[in-house]
Amino acid sequence: MLYIKSFSNYTEFQEIFGVRVFGEEKARKNKILLALLKDKAVHKRAIESGDFTLLSIKNMVDLKNVCIKKLHESGAKSSKLRYEVNLLGVTYFSDIYSLDSMNGICEDGTPNAVRYVNNENNRPWKMKCGKFYKKLIECTKFGKSLPQEVVTYLCEEFARDWQAYSIGKLPKNKLYVNDNFSDIYDSSRLKGYDEDSDAFVSCMVNKDLHSFYKDAVTAKAAYLEDEDGMIIARCIVWPEVYDKEGNRYRYAERQYAVGCNDVYKQALIDALIQAGEIDCYKKIGAACSDASSIIDIHGNSLADKDFHIDCDLDWDDILSYQDTFKWYSMYHHKAYNYEAGDYSLDVTEGSLDASENGDEEEPDEYDSYHDRDAWEVCTCYYHGNEETVDIEDRDDFVRFNEKWYHEDDVVTCPKCGEKMLNPAYYDEDDDVYESSITGKGYCCEDCRDEAELEYKKEHWHYSDYDDEYYLYANDITTYRQYNCITQEYEDKTISKESLFELIERGDFHEWGGMYFDAINEEVGKPIGYEDLIEFNFAA
């Protein structure tokens, strides 16, 4: 207490850290700062270094600013932390992480993540911003010395600041709705497209089949362009869709985006809604084979509706693969989202005639998941193993962390509810953190640590002195701690191991069958007990 400069007396202590009452609830002010001031390791380092800055902080704003400054200084002093990481105007240091020209902003527009380079393999990745900041903290000697409550606070503050910053830095995208079908199927116009990537994974790209939308049906091309004029998301809008009652709808489907990113797909749909271009759309993430997964712009399902469009398609006419209106009646010149008519339009051969007669060459790819041939496949993961899957038949798979996983392989974190990989099939290399204490897996170390702490609070036994939980009640005991502000002893818990060490060193004292952390050295009795004759209080 002698070294704490944040307050000088009990009155000032109450002003900064006093308990506030909200109805029946009570909460201590600046609890995180108080945890720092009470931390024995912080006191020890302050005494050894002669730097009492941390013990002089009076508010949470100063706590944040002081810690950020010291994280920078600590990192700069370490020869092991070779890489600079400049975030929000502050230079941090890391042993393996750095930034590329994106300066931490994720290319796919994810605002709550940091894009970074892992210099062990020289590849760009992204990580949740709070988690990334925690790794930067733990790189430094100073960061390792901070109590966990302070580390969590700093990560939460950074996450909030970073998301606000990154959203402001996202490119200003522009919506187009026209008949420019050639561009939305031209790989040179699609951002991030290459044959080996999973960007804009439509089997119709570069196939010169887009004239179908001008010649055979009434449709519009809708797309978002970034500041560089590249298409980051696109879809088809059907302005004349009818139900059996004759009601007209404007419907958007076949949404594709850079990196299959659902954020950009939804951004495109939101832009179309705001522009008044559509009344309904195919649900983001729905499989291409699901022709009924349609919702209106208010989020209501239209799965029970039977829709059709006018379609004038002959045997040899150009045909582009269809997701929704895949059943065709040549006699009525209509295409349906339900089984009607005589022909299927969900074919990749380019025309009904080619599909019927097999004029096109045979598929030359192998779908290992379905055990059959396919025109085009991509890598998916099933129960931890790689599989090749037909890109037009991924109903069993979902997009997660820029890869395709079987729906059984993606679960929710039991702590925060975020999506994560199934601990039954994946491990720490896949950002799955299992706990031997709770017996569950979590999406990050923070969630695992928080869950373990909650479990310990409920099932284990706490030692005030050690600030740790112990599995067995027999591992801890009680002692009396002297409060120099109230000038009274308070009952506290301590591990027996620590207690015996302290008694052996002479730092703790036994008197009357009880243990004390401070006594009146002149008379050898606890403070305030000077006139009492020693006897066994525990008897």
Side-chain angles (χ1 to χ4, degrees), residues 74-83 93-95:
S74 179
K77 292 177 182 178
S78 174
S79 60
K80 295 181 180 179
L81 306 182
R82 299 178 295 160
Y83 302 103
F93 298 84
S94 173
D95 52 346

Side-chain angles (χ1 to χ4, degrees), residues 18-19 62 67 70 109 130 181 222 233 290 294 350 431 468 498 515 521 529:
V19 175
D62 287 345
C67 287
K70 287 190 172 292
F181 298 102
D290 188 352
I294 302 172
D431 287 336
E468 290 184 10
S498 295
Y515 305 101
E521 300 286 354
Y529 289 45

Side-chain angles (χ1 to χ4, degrees), residues 17 28 30-40 42-43 147-150 467:
F17 303 107
R28 184 173 294 281
N30 297 318
K31 186 165 59 175
I32 296 171
L33 176 56
L34 185 59
L36 176 74
L37 300 179
K38 291 168 60 178
D39 191 272
K40 293 179 174 61
V42 172
H43 280 254
Q148 190 57 48
E149 297 96 327
V150 177
D467 192 23

